[in-house]
């Protein structure tokens, strides 16, 4: 390593307490998705939050409940969610966490155009390589767009962060301050998969051909699909989130990426969420590239993959096919994330299929998730014009090209039998 690079690193290395002093009143701070959030920096900012006025922190999927997530100090530092997770959902529902609706693929553009501010970036990063580059491998997402725009780029360098290939690198000359940490990267386990999730996974797995390219969404059912694909051959990956499910497919030999027509031989993703084993697998692995989300999730770009199979979860669907995947009535639950991006990508892909997966009921079979009309106030995540395959534990409904009446009949055929008569009775309203 050149002395100038090493000197520059040393000159920028400070304590977390000092690093967050680069933040100014009124700043908009960008933090990457999930495990890319930097714990030392966000803890230091939380401790000093009363010093600041009108600072905003924008993030998709915040995982940890830092001190600044506090209604009493939200006028000092306020969270702006781009997708609610467990740490931010209560604040969103109570009104002291804000929310900016978005397609995940478009957040970088909104940052570039100044619709979403980006004065400061706080991010986890790998250790620096001999050329002076760090990898933002855990959350490449919209953070690369913010790096291009921000006044201050403050990295938390941790040797447990994988150094990955792709378009995820930041040079020491772009960095304003560095802190070092050494704790393990936060692990997020696979969700519990019950018989309903397994039944849905089986239907989807039967429709995925050898050689297909996969996008696997967030939630229990996408994971239930993944574990049923281990006997497939030559699958590829072009996804938003890389997790342990995909790692299991690589280990079983089902994923080879050899038949991909777009980025053959490579898996593409924009953020990681999983175990230490996953993070180690990502390190210096030439079969994986981490790219900004405006590349992985752009429907036209992702749709260049032939036979793209996209699997995403929903909370409720009406008989037109409108997917309410992110709220329960007016009550916000999550966000659109990449769902709509990838449904549209599958529609563009030659031989592509999008699957919206959901159990037929909620709350011990007392509520049908297939409904004549979405519960009043429900936020529509995926349009009726885009949705295609809808899968419950009772089978597969295919909607594209079908009339309102035909769609309703398809959806009723996969509803829970206890609710079918009621749903049929609503048909004369279509
Ligand atoms: N009425 C009432 N309650 C309902 C309901 C309905 N129609 N549908 C779901 N619920 C409840 C469930 O019972 C569950 O409650 P519990 O936690 O008390 O058991 C809760 O809402 C969550 O439902 P579940 O089906 O378990 O959700 P999930 O964990 O599989 O997650 C989301 C689903 C949130 C990931 C998904 O809907 C989402 O956000 N999709 C959009 C984003 C996306 O797809 N991104 C893809 C790229 S990463």
């Amino acid at each position: 390593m050149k002395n100038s690079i090493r000197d520059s690193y040393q000159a920028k290395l400070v304590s977390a307490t000092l690093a967050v002093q680069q933040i100014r009143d009124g700043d908009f701070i960008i933090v990457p998705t999930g495990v890319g959030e930097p714990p030392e920096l966000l803890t230091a900012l939380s401790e000093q939050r009363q010093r600041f006025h009108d600072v905003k922190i924008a993030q998709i999927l915040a995982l940890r409940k830092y001190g600044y997530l506090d209604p009493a100090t939200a006028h000092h530092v306020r969270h702006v969610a781009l997708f609610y997770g467990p740490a931010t959902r209560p604040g969103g529902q109570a009104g002291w966490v804000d929310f900016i609706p978005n397609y995940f693929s478009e957040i970088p553009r909104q940052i570039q155009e100044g619709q979403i501010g980006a004065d400061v970036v706080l991010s986890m990063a790998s250790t620096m390589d001999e050329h002076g580059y760090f990898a933002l491998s855990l959350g490449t997402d919209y953070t690369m767009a913010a790096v291009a725009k921000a006044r201050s780029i403050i990295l938390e360098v941790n040797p447990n962060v994988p150094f990955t290939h792709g378009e995820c690198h930041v040079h020491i000359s772009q960095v304003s301050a560095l802190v070092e940490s050494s704790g393990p990267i936060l692990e997020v386990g696979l969700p519990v998969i019950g018989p309903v999730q397994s039944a849905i996974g089986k239907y989807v797995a039967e429709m995925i051909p050898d050689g297909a390219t996969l996008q696997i969404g967030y939630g229990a059912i996408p994971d239930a699909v993944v574990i049923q694909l281990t006997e497939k051959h030559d699958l590829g990956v072009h996804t938003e989130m890389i997790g342990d499910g995909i790692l299991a497919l690589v280990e079983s030999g089902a994923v080879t990426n050899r038949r991909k027509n777009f980025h053959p031989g490579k898996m593409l993703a924009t953020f990681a969420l999983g175990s230490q084993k996953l993070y180690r697998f990502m390190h210096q692995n030439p079969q994986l590239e981490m790219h900004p989300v405006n590349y992985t999730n752009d429907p036209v770009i992702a749709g260049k993959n032939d036979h793209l199979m996209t699997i995403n979860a929903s909370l409720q669907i009406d008989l037109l096919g409108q997917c309410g995947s992110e709220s329960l009535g007016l009550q916000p639950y999550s966000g659109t994330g990449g769902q709509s991006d990838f449904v549209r990508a599958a529609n563009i892909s030659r031989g592509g299929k999008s699957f919206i997966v959901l159990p037929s009921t909620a709350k011990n079979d007392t509520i049908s998730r297939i409904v004549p009309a979405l519960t009043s106030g429900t936020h529509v995540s995926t349009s009726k014009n885009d949705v295609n395959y809808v899968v419950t534990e009772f089978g597969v409904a295919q909607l594209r090209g079908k009339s309102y009446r035909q769609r309703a009949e398809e959806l009723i055929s996969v509803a829970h039998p206890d609710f079918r008569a009621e749903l049929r009775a609503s048909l004369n309203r279509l």
Side-chain angles (χ1 to χ4, degrees):
M1 189 185 295
K2 278 193 202 154
N3 282 344
S4 58
I5 292 175
R6 197 177 297 115
D7 293 348
S8 181
Y9 184 99
Q10 287 305 329
K12 292 176 180 185
L13 186 60
V14 291
S15 67
T17 308
L18 264 183
V20 297
Q21 287 177 14
Q22 295 201 1
I23 296 165
R24 300 177 191 159
D25 287 349
D27 272 352
F28 216 97
I29 301 174
I30 294 288
V31 171
T33 316
V35 297
E37 64 192 23
E40 300 275 331
L41 289 169
L42 289 173
T43 302
L45 176 58
S46 295
E47 284 163 0
Q48 298 180 47
R49 64 188 183 279
Q50 315 256 15
R51 285 186 41 225
F52 295 106
H53 178 68
D54 192 28
V55 166
K56 307 264 193 337
I57 298 184
Q59 186 187 7
I60 251 191
L61 193 59
L63 289 178
R64 282 168 278 213
K65 200 175 168 327
Y66 293 101
Y68 82 85
L69 287 164
D70 173 0
T73 55
H75 55 293
H76 295 290
V77 179
R78 192 175 178 96
H79 191 86
V80 180
L82 302 166
F83 187 105
Y84 287 122
T88 51
R89 189 176 299 132
Q93 292 175 346
W96 52 269
V97 166
D98 291 331
F99 188 89
I100 299 178
N102 61 82
Y103 294 116
F104 198 0
S105 63
E106 292 188 354
I107 299 174
R109 189 188 173 113
Q110 290 177 285
I111 289 173
Q112 278 154 15
E113 293 185 354
Q115 292 168 346
I116 297 177
D119 302 298
V120 177
V121 172
L122 301 181
S123 175
M124 288 294 269
S126 71
T127 50
M128 186 173 75
D129 76 358
E130 58 180 319
H131 307 288
Y133 286 95
F134 304 86
L136 307 193
S137 54
L138 300 174
T140 308
D141 48 45
Y142 44 79
T143 309
M144 297 303 286
V147 163
K149 195 92 196 268
R151 180 192 77 240
S152 276
I153 296 157
I154 307 176
L155 301 183
E156 181 170 325
V157 176
N158 182 314
N160 298 312
V161 176
F163 193 99
T164 50
H165 296 252
E167 199 191 328
C168 59
H169 304 120
V170 176
H171 193 256
I172 181 71
S173 57
Q174 296 171 276
V175 175
S176 327
L178 295 161
V179 305
E180 289 181 338
S181 68
S182 56
I185 306 307
L186 187 67
E187 290 193 280
V188 179
L190 284 170
V192 179
I193 295 168
V196 167
Q197 285 81 5
S198 290
I200 295 170
K202 194 158 179 292
Y203 282 119
V204 177
E206 279 166 7
M207 295 180 68
I208 294 182
D210 288 340
T213 289
L214 307 173
Q215 175 261 338
I216 308 291
Y218 183 58
I221 304 177
D223 281 311
V225 175
V226 171
I227 59 172
Q228 302 197 42
L229 295 176
T230 51
E231 301 301 315
K232 302 273 177 189
H233 299 285
D234 286 328
L235 295 174
V237 174
H238 181 117
T239 194
E240 169 183 307
M241 181 185 98
I242 179 143
D244 286 272
I246 288 174
L247 174 55
L249 291 186
V250 175
E251 287 180 336
S252 74
V255 163
T256 63
N257 297 296
R258 281 189 207 124
R259 281 168 64 182
K260 279 180 85 183
N261 61 310
F262 187 60
H263 291 275
K266 306 283 180 192
M267 294 191 281
L268 265 63
T270 199
F271 74 91
L273 209 59
S275 63
Q276 303 304 334
K277 187 178 170 193
L278 173 77
Y279 307 137
R280 280 195 301 275
F281 164 83
M282 294 170 68
H283 184 63
Q284 299 281 15
N285 187 336
Q287 71 181 308
L288 173 69
E289 291 184 1
M290 301 303 289
H291 284 267
V293 70
N294 48 319
Y295 193 75
T296 55
N297 285 36
D298 181 307
V300 173
I301 295 173
K304 290 184 182 183
N305 290 285
D306 291 347
H307 307 288
L308 179 68
M309 306 286 138
T310 71
I311 302 141
N312 294 287
S314 192
L315 301 174
Q316 194 182 62
I317 183 163
D318 72 9
L319 291 182
L320 304 182
Q322 303 185 94
C323 301
S325 310
E326 59 188 83
S327 82
L328 295 166
L330 282 168
Q331 191 84 289
Y333 188 81
S334 52
T336 307
Q339 177 167 124
S340 203
D341 294 333
F342 277 106
V343 169
R344 299 185 73 200
N347 293 340
I348 291 167
S349 156
R350 205 163 17 168
K353 293 181 193 142
S354 77
F355 299 96
I356 292 291
V357 290
L358 73 173
S360 65
T361 60
K363 306 289 172 206
N364 295 325
D365 292 344
T366 57
I367 298 172
S368 178
R369 297 204 196 202
I370 297 177
V371 287
L374 294 176
T375 308
S376 175
T378 296
H379 310 179
V380 175
S381 313
T382 295
S383 157
K384 65 189 185 319
N385 306 343
D386 293 323
V387 65
N388 194 8
Y389 294 98
V390 177
V391 188
T392 72
E393 70 276 29
F394 294 105
V396 182
Q398 191 275 317
L399 306 188
R400 260 164 93 81
K402 301 237 160 95
S403 68
Y404 285 153
R405 178 164 286 274
Q406 289 170 322
R407 287 165 170 249
E409 281 163 2
E410 286 275 317
L411 286 164
I412 292 169
S413 75
V414 301
H416 191 287
D418 290 356
F419 293 95
R420 288 184 194 168
E422 199 180 306
L423 289 166
R424 229 169 249 121
S426 72
L427 266 180
N428 54 8
R429 284 189 265 140
L430 284 178

